[in-house]
DNA sequence: ACTTGCGGGACCACCCGTTCTT
DNA sequence: AAGAACGGGTGGTCCCGCAAGT
């Protein structure tokens, strides 16, 4: 049922998601909802979002772990997202972006879940960049570019129903990250042996 | 009234926007709505979105025109967005992102307006990059990064209620664009006098 | 415009007739309605009904006048109604029956117009029967049968979208009326020379 | 609730019947309607009509069964209708006549229910006449007269708020039917012993 | 004199998330 | 656990004024 909720949330946003729709699609009886989720729709949405967020976190972590470097990890994650979009007929997307935009102010708990999710995903990227030798400040800024790029890319791909956008974006972000990693490596060398700076 | 509609759409998305809310906030009587918008809510939303899109287009164009180069134009636009977010108590955002996410499939005309808006904004950026000497292919890819970055940045900033995110992102994107412009300039020189390439 | 009103009234009844529909179908400007009919919808309906009633009265009178006897007049009228039904795609009908059934209690003036119309039509039939030699009492009773039969026949024909019903009914009513006329004539003779009565 | 619906339908027709009126009069809660009638107003109207039709069918059958002959059955039914009209303050009437006149084209299922109801009632009369010895053709034509007469009589009685109309009509129809039955009996004898025909 | 453009608000059918009762 | 009940809210239409135009 939570998965059905998550799916409908993706497609229609918070306000567009009627509990009856979820009930129908998950073929669950009407009354039992308030047994499992005494908090009603909001609780159901919150838990469904938590679950969806955890999936994304896992996928993101795996992308970085399996990749030879963070740059490739970013690209692999974009590729994964592109594949999922195609498979879901462009219904897939960031599980929190829509909620941020249409339920931000009315369901505070949901908003904070979204924030935490974004923070966690950002931390994963930052950690990967740091472990590749990038100083924390640069890593944070770059992770912001990556995260914003991916979030925006998901929206653009959905709008155009075209997953290629995400793939191109993945390649571009990979290049950007790789260039930043090279620059960071150079800076690091420069610091250790300042005489050889600039050359 | 259209502006009120646009404002409410920003905050609550398509499904969360009740015509009665718009009516109340704009202090307009219920019956006169369907004189001006015989198509009802959908027509009202469509026209409000068109208006908001036009505003964004104008602002984007102005940012590029007033800036010394496209890189600075991107940063200036991010800065403008950051300012608007603060002024609107983090209610400002992309006028089509939310609609894409929660009304994509049910109001086809709205979806196509969103697509066209994104295309137009993208074209503006591409044109600016091209006129700065970047080849069309690179310009397109870079514009995608910029557009996705801005879109994503608006969401992140809204989620965290923190406009600094947008400013940092603006600086990063500026650097990315500037680097790309430099590279493009170098490539151009190389082509003209290949012997002096790379040094 | 009144004719359009009458037509729509036939099809949808009083409550189903929206002034805007009438306005659209008669291509009349919206505001001019309340210039010509300061009383609004009700006045328009009342006048349209009056007009339609007058038409029916004229047709009914003509049927009786042109016919060799009242019996044939009844049948001719039924035949006329059948033809009109076919021509109007089974939209034609008694202009007051529908109003009686769905606006009887809320628009008193309309109700009284309907009553008067029925009375007038009945009088026409009674007069015709009387002038054919039938005593007033019998004429009244028979006119009731005829009127009820026609009214009911119009409804049945509309329901089945089949004008043959009205034609058969016309033939039957003709026979009934003719038999009654014969009986009346016999009674009259009997009264004048009572010895030859009954044989 | 269905009975309330039927009652309001009688008084105001299809378009004049607001669900809220029905809800108020039956003191039912607003929302539970769409649980019992997911099809909304139309389904409610359809079911209410079906129920009312069934009642009429039963009453009609009983009238014929309890009567010594079909002629008396017709009169008894008219008498019953007259009594019901008086008791209901002239609100009672044919449950389908009004619907035929004001919802014929917009709710197809309702229209077909009305047709079927008329057919059934007609069959009952035809069957009764046949079982009294009348040939099928004559029975059909006569049943048409009876049915149209009753339908029309109900409208006239409602318009004049006078049940005596129905009673007189009942007597007249009884006489008509009895005369027809006698004629049918004579024809039948004639056929069996043609020599004694006509005398 | 007659039309137009626009307001104005009551109301309608329908759907919502929720809570009883069993 | 689950069908039934609940009432407030949804988008939309209704009939009707009222100013300014022609």
């Amino acid at each position: 049922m939570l998965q059905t909720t998550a799916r409908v949330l993706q497609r229609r946003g918070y306000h567009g998601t009627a509990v009856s729709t979820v009930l129908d699609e998950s073929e669950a009886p009407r009354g039992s909802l308030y047994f499992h989720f005494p908090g009603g729709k909001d609780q159901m949405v919150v838990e469904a979002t938590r679950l969806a967020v955890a999936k994304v976190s896992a996928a993101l972590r795996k992308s970085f772990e399996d990749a030879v470097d963070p740059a490739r990890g970013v690209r692999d994650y974009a590729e994964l997202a592109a594949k999922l979009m195609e498979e879901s007929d462009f219904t897939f997307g960031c599980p929190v972006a829509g909620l941020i935009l249409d339920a931000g102010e009315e369901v505070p708990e949901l908003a904070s879940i979204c924030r935490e999710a974004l923070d966690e995903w950002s931390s994963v990227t930052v950690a990967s960049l740091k472990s590749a030798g990038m100083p924390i400040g640069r890593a944070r800024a770059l992770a912001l570019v990556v995260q914003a790029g991916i979030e925006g890319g998901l929206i653009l791909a959905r709008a155009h129903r075209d997953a290629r956008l995400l793939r191109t974006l993945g390649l571009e972000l990979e290049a950007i990250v790789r260039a930043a990693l090279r620059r960071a490596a150079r800076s690091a060398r420069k610091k250790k042996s300042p005489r050889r700076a600039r050359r």
Side-chain angles (χ1 to χ4, degrees), chain A:
Chain A
M1 175 146 56
L2 287 178
Q3 303 207 348
T4 305
T5 307
R7 209 171 51 234
V8 180
L9 279 175
Q10 292 282 5
R11 279 206 301 262
R12 323 258 312 235
Y14 175 79
H15 291 105
T17 298
V19 294
S20 60
T21 305
V22 174
L23 255 19
D24 287 354
E25 288 202 16
S26 60
E27 291 178 10
R30 193 164 188 72
S32 61
L33 195 163
Y34 291 84
F35 177 81
H36 296 294
F37 305 101
K41 177 186 181 178
D42 285 359
Q43 184 187 348
M44 193 176 67
V45 167
V46 160
E47 298 196 12
T49 302
R50 262 199 254 268
L51 196 139
V53 163
K55 276 193 192 173
V56 167
S57 296
L60 186 61
R61 255 182 255 274
K62 188 167 185 327
S63 289
F64 280 120
E65 282 168 8
D66 292 357
V68 293
D69 69 350
R72 184 58 194 254
V74 167
R75 174 176 150 199
D76 288 350
Y77 184 72
E79 173 62 35
L80 172 63
K83 212 178 62 190
L84 289 173
M85 283 217 102
E86 285 169 338
E87 286 172 357
S88 68
D89 192 37
F90 299 95
T91 270
F92 173 82
C94 172
V96 309
L99 300 179
I100 289 166
L101 294 179
D102 89 333
E105 44 191 26
E106 351 193 15
V107 190
E109 189 184 356
L110 198 52
S112 81
I113 287 181
C114 293
R115 267 191 299 274
E116 287 161 18
L118 293 175
D119 283 344
E120 190 190 347
W121 301 336
S122 177
S123 313
V124 169
T125 309
V126 167
S128 178
L129 291 172
K130 236 178 64 181
S131 76
M134 192 176 290
I136 180 78
R138 288 301 309 139
R140 285 221 177 94
L142 196 59
L144 176 63
V145 172
V146 168
Q147 187 175 29
I150 297 283
E151 290 287 350
L154 287 168
I155 292 179
L156 298 182
R158 169 107 88 117
H160 290 97
R161 300 182 61 86
D162 184 353
R164 284 176 307 175
L165 281 181
L166 269 173
R167 296 202 167 92
T168 329
L169 190 66
L171 289 173
E172 291 295 317
L173 289 176
E174 181 187 18
I176 289 169
V177 172
R178 197 166 328 262
L181 285 173
R182 258 201 307 265
R183 234 174 298 129
R186 237 178 296 148
S187 299
R189 261 181 280 129
K190 181 173 58 178
K191 266 188 186 163
K192 289 187 178 174
S193 49
R195 289 166 297 170
R196 296 205 332 229
R198 208 100 244 261
R199 168 63 56 99

